[in-house]
Amino acid sequence: MTLADTTEFDAFGPWIDQVSTESAIPRLFRAHRFDLGAAIVVLKVPRNIARRDANPAMDLYDLLLIVEPHAFTVLRREEACFTTRVIRYADIAAFEDSVELLDGLFTVHTMDGDSVRVPYNGSSRATIASLTDELRRLVAPTLVPHPEIASRPPLERGELGRDGNGLVAAYREIAAKEPWLRVVAAHPNQRLATSGGVVDQLILWVRRATLQGAIVSISDTELSIVSRRDWVVPGKRPALSESRRIVPLDRLAAASVAPHPRFVGASTVTLAAGQASIVCVVPTGSPAEAALAALAPR
């Protein structure tokens, strides 16, 4: 086997790599013709397999992400071939990035109600964050000021309880890079009661369902929510995930609030952007509920 045959295997690992040369494009995706020199960023996302299970004859990358001035292209491995999805920046409705230990998931919601999901190893979260920032710049939302949503004082460590310290730290790291954000609501974890019968109440008591804390902030162009991957977490285990949802405000068409179908004291807020729906679960009557509802266009 020649050196050229093993180059892709030699570089293979769990991390997302940037592609800067033609030879670094995974073999499977080379049939897709594009101008690498004109691309803003190109990333290759590896398969979720251990290196000991890989070999030079395999296609070792699941996705090729191509950010070009006119569109975001996603090539996805399907057995021995690949699919192609081209997303115009005007068609992007929202971003969502979350990690739970090393289980990462990046999602781009589109205005037609579809989404592109990119599973990745959590060790590459900084790379995904940089990708998200680049896509946000290209989406270039217009100014949609919401002066009627009052800011609240800066978050203090411990304000969201011990379980919320990680969220506060995550938000502070974001705010250091994006000082234009202003916090409009924040809440700690809350135990939930069910609206069901005795059996449902007993199951809930045993499993200890908890509504997870969240930090809601806005700028003149975007909504940003720092929270957990799942809004409600059953069981006694602590939530180890961390999530950031970003919605360009000029994409929002409506915000509706409804009682949670199962839990008393929780509300479901659905943010509509085109045909896309970004669903949040927050305490009923809370500042988070009011702030999210106020984002609906007047």
Side-chain angles (χ1 to χ4, degrees):
M1 185 169 288
T2 66
L3 178 62
D5 292 327
T6 64
T7 299
E8 189 169 303
F9 173 74
D10 293 341
F12 177 73
W15 47 83
I16 297 174
D17 275 334
Q18 186 159 342
V19 174
S20 55
T21 64
E22 296 285 346
S23 62
I25 298 174
R27 291 187 301 265
L28 177 67
F29 301 123
R30 289 176 188 169
H32 178 80
R33 309 308 301 173
F34 70 100
D35 186 348
L36 179 59
I40 298 168
V41 63
V42 181
L43 301 174
K44 54 184 180 181
V45 183
R47 294 173 64 169
N48 184 23
I49 57 174
R51 184 175 174 83
R52 63 178 177 273
D53 297 325
N55 66 70
M58 298 172 65
D59 291 315
L60 296 174
Y61 291 87
D62 272 340
L63 298 122
L64 190 70
L65 310 177
I66 307 170
V67 179
E68 297 175 280
H70 65 284
F72 177 44
T73 300
V74 179
L75 308 183
R76 188 181 303 272
R77 181 181 67 87
E78 297 286 350
E79 298 300 334
C81 57
F82 62 87
T83 60
T84 303
R85 175 79 186 273
V86 180
I87 306 170
R88 297 184 309 134
Y89 297 117
D91 294 331
I92 291 178
F95 304 100
E96 184 173 349
D97 178 36
S98 66
V99 291
E100 184 164 9
L101 299 179
L102 289 179
D103 176 22
L105 179 62
F106 175 59
T107 303
V108 178
H109 298 276
T110 54
M111 298 289 283
D112 62 3
D114 200 358
S115 63
V116 172
R117 293 162 59 89
V118 178
Y120 68 94
N121 186 287
S123 62
S124 291
R125 196 179 193 197
T127 302
I128 290 293
S130 295
L131 170 66
T132 306
D133 289 344
E134 197 63 65
L135 292 173
R136 291 165 65 194
R137 183 183 67 80
L138 291 162
V139 167
T142 57
L143 294 177
V144 186
H146 284 274
E148 72 275 13
I149 303 177
S151 302
R152 47 143 290 153
L155 286 164
E156 301 292 340
R157 178 176 171 81
E159 183 177 345
L160 302 188
R162 184 178 61 183
D163 294 334
N165 282 337
L167 296 181
V168 173
Y171 176 79
R172 285 181 169 180
E173 184 175 346
I174 292 167
K177 300 175 183 176
E178 302 176 27
W180 50 85
L181 285 173
R182 55 190 179 96
V183 178
V184 295
H187 61 265
N189 288 1
Q190 297 188 22
R191 290 284 303 277
L192 292 173
T194 179
S195 56
V198 174
V199 174
D200 204 16
Q201 292 278 6
L202 180 59
I203 292 173
L204 186 63
W205 182 82
V206 172
R207 300 190 70 190
R208 298 172 57 91
T210 302
L211 173 61
Q212 297 299 299
I215 301 166
V216 181
S217 61
I218 61 172
S219 68
D220 285 344
T221 58
E222 292 178 321
L223 164 70
S224 173
I225 305 174
V226 174
S227 57
R228 305 297 184 183
R229 175 177 289 177
D230 298 316
W231 291 102
V232 178
V233 175
K236 298 180 181 180
R237 62 180 176 82
L240 300 177
S241 65
E242 181 188 302
S243 171
R244 188 185 187 193
R245 297 167 175 89
I246 301 171
V247 186
L249 292 175
D250 64 359
R251 302 299 198 265
L252 287 176
S256 59
V257 181
H260 194 280
R262 184 181 178 196
F263 299 112
V264 175
S267 294
T268 298
V269 181
T270 302
L271 305 173
Q275 299 301 311
S277 294
I278 294 85
V279 178
C280 310
V281 182
V282 297
T284 300
S286 66
E289 180 186 277
L292 292 173
L295 292 174
R298 298 294 188 266

